[in-house]
Amino acid sequence: MVNTPHTTEPGTMFATTFKQALQRRGLPLEDVRDHLEAHGITLSVATLSYWQSGRSQPERARSLCAVDILEPFLGLPGGTLRSLLRRRPRGRVPSHDPAAVRGVYGENSDVEQALGDDFPHFNAGLRRLVVHEAVRVNAHRLVDEIRVTVAVRAAHHDARHLTVIHTLDGAEDGAFEVTVPSGPAPRTWFRPEPNCVVAEIPFGRRLGRNETAVVEYTVRTAATAGVSHQHESRVTTP
């Protein structure tokens, strides 16, 4: 599912993700209950059913511990389900603070160099909920592919795209590609001095406030030789 908007609240997103993971693994709720019991946590099938239907969600310490145990059992990256249980702050959405963004990425970072004057507005209208990143290293120890799945929520009306930036040691202008499985093609460009690939990945449609989208994309470089010495990922939070 790519560039797909949803109108779900956080609890519903948890229920949907939980249910889809169960379906992918072909697991009945009885097997989930038994797995939790083997780890010393007793939950009824009815409770698990409520979780996947959205009638209730984990709140107590024991239930949250159960969520942590279930993530690897369901084949989900650590923190995937937990992150969907965060309650939305009531009242006004905090304003975007460019200084806070600079505090995350550092003074004169590669991200700031890549975006230039647009840096203070870097994904200003979006909140990242879940990020899953898989990095491939080739036989020469060069990072040549990065696959990312990210769930975002619009903090304001009229959110149109997600901006992403990746530094690839083997990337050169025209020697990389950013692809999505479906949906509109992303707009991409290359900043040679910080060696950054930049892409604007459009959503299926403009998002209204509190609507969510799940975006999946892959960044590849055509280079085969060279050595990558590090890989770093930083994500801003409200």
Side-chain angles (χ1 to χ4, degrees):
M1 181 166 53
V2 183
N3 306 22
T4 308
H6 300 272
T7 56
T8 52
E9 291 299 313
T12 307
M13 287 187 66
F14 170 86
T16 301
T17 304
F18 181 43
K19 183 176 182 179
Q20 289 176 346
L22 289 171
Q23 292 173 342
R24 283 196 304 269
R25 303 281 286 186
L27 291 170
L29 293 178
E30 289 78 8
D31 286 1
V32 177
R33 176 200 59 197
D34 294 345
H35 181 75
L36 290 173
E37 286 185 352
H39 286 76
I41 296 181
T42 301
L43 288 177
S44 68
V45 170
T47 295
L48 295 171
S49 178
Y50 288 160
W51 287 3
Q52 74 167 341
S53 68
R55 291 182 61 183
S56 67
Q57 65 178 31
E59 294 181 354
R60 297 183 179 181
R62 176 174 290 269
S63 296
L64 295 176
C65 183
V67 170
D68 295 337
I69 293 171
L70 287 178
E71 286 173 340
F73 183 61
L74 296 173
L76 295 172
T80 298
L81 292 175
R82 271 268 200 166
S83 65
L84 298 177
L85 294 173
R86 292 176 182 169
R87 296 182 179 277
R88 277 193 299 113
R90 298 182 181 276
R92 183 179 63 86
V93 176
S95 59
H96 182 70
D97 184 359
V101 178
R102 186 171 285 109
V104 172
Y105 292 99
E107 192 70 30
N108 198 32
S109 65
D110 290 348
V111 173
E112 186 167 3
Q113 293 179 50
L115 293 178
D117 292 340
D118 291 332
F119 175 75
H121 311 291
F122 181 38
N123 290 327
L126 298 173
R127 300 288 180 263
R128 299 194 187 198
L129 304 175
V130 180
V131 180
H132 179 218
E133 186 169 292
V135 178
R136 186 178 72 182
V137 181
N138 68 15
H140 301 283
R141 295 182 294 167
L142 174 74
V143 173
D144 63 359
E145 180 180 281
I146 302 174
R147 294 187 178 187
V148 181
T149 301
V150 55
V152 298
R153 177 182 295 118
H156 308 287
H157 289 293
D158 202 31
R160 306 183 185 188
H161 61 261
L162 172 71
T163 301
V164 300
I165 302 171
H166 292 276
T167 301
L168 292 173
D169 295 321
E172 296 179 358
D173 197 8
F176 70 91
E177 64 174 355
V178 182
T179 59
V180 296
S182 62
R187 171 176 171 255
T188 63
W189 63 96
F190 182 73
R191 297 293 191 212
E193 187 171 342
N195 209 41
C196 288
V197 173
V198 187
E200 290 182 352
I201 303 177
F203 302 129
R205 60 173 172 79
R206 297 180 183 182
L207 301 183
R209 180 177 175 181
N210 290 330
E211 288 190 322
T212 62
V214 178
V215 178
E216 182 180 356
Y217 66 91
T218 302
V219 184
R220 297 186 183 91
T221 174
T224 56
V227 176
S228 297
H229 296 282
Q230 68 178 32
H231 176 75
E232 187 175 89
S233 181
R234 282 171 286 185
V235 180
T236 56
T237 59

